[in-house]
Amino acid sequence: MINIKRLILATLFGIVFGFVCWILSSSGGPQLWFAAVSIITGRTLIGFGIGISVLKIKWWWHGIIIGFLFSVPAAFNGFYVPGREIFIFLNTIIMGVIYGFLIELLTTIVFKASN
């Protein structure tokens, strides 16, 4: 059964980290609006995926796996930036893993909303 408190908290943390990620990524200059939407929704989906998942594995491993899986498709957007393709591809995945871990940490450990 899905824990509604967990689903809401994880999704909200995903939204928060989506905005954090967008702000950090736009520090190099302005971005197109659809890039910002993609970043924010991608991190929100990591939170939603963590909240809705019923996998019974250690919390930190769960956040890492979900963060990785949900970041891989978005990472391919990096190939639209000439000269920085691999950097953006790998950065998107690494940051997705970190955000997944942090979302899971806040949801499960800090707010005690386990699955």
Side-chain angles (χ1 to χ4, degrees), residues 21-40:
C21 187
W22 170 56
I23 290 167
L24 291 174
S25 69
S26 64
S27 65
Q31 292 182 354
L32 300 170
W33 67 270
F34 53 83
V37 170
S38 175
I39 291 168
I40 294 166

Side-chain angles (χ1 to χ4, degrees), residues 2 7 12 20 28 40 43 48 63 81 84 89 92 98-99:
I2 297 172
L7 175 62
L12 286 174
V20 169
I40 294 166
R43 302 312 182 206
F48 181 78
V81 182
R84 297 180 49 114
F89 179 84
T92 301
I98 291 170
Y99 289 130

